[in-house]
Amino acid sequence: YLPLLLAIPALRNLVEYQGELLYARERVVTRAVLLAGLAIVKLSLMALLLTTAPDFMHWALPLTAVFAMVYLISATVTYRALARPVT
């Protein structure tokens, strides 16, 4: 389970990096909307995890899946936004 749990900080750092990419490319509004949306997604998925799997001994895989989903959403939005020209 340790490699799964070690992936969580790495995924969090990648999401933060993608937010910084948007900031550096002057996509501040996109970054704000993305981070707010990711917070809602993460909150919803964590609430679902807490209510469906109350035994914390079995959280390694679902918790990693939560952060992987947040990362995939962030990557999709970030790189699509960066592909569009600045207007």
Side-chain angles (χ1 to χ4, degrees):
Y1 290 120
L2 188 59
L4 288 174
L5 294 174
L6 290 176
I8 293 171
L11 292 169
R12 287 180 58 199
N13 286 342
L14 287 170
V15 170
E16 187 175 324
Y17 171 73
Q18 290 164 349
E20 295 298 323
L21 282 176
L22 289 171
Y23 180 77
R25 297 279 180 98
E26 299 177 358
R27 307 281 184 158
V28 180
V29 174
T30 303
R31 178 180 184 239
V33 171
L34 172 63
L35 292 178
L38 290 176
I40 292 168
V41 168
K42 191 178 351 177
L43 175 70
S44 301
L45 291 173
M46 289 301 295
L48 181 66
L49 175 65
L50 290 172
T51 57
T52 58
D55 184 17
F56 70 91
M57 296 298 288
H58 303 286
W59 280 5
L61 184 60
L63 192 59
T64 303
V66 166
F67 281 93
M69 289 173 65
V70 168
Y71 164 72
L72 290 174
I73 293 168
S74 176
T76 302
V77 172
T78 297
Y79 295 114
R80 282 187 180 178
L82 292 177
R84 288 182 289 146
V86 177
T87 58

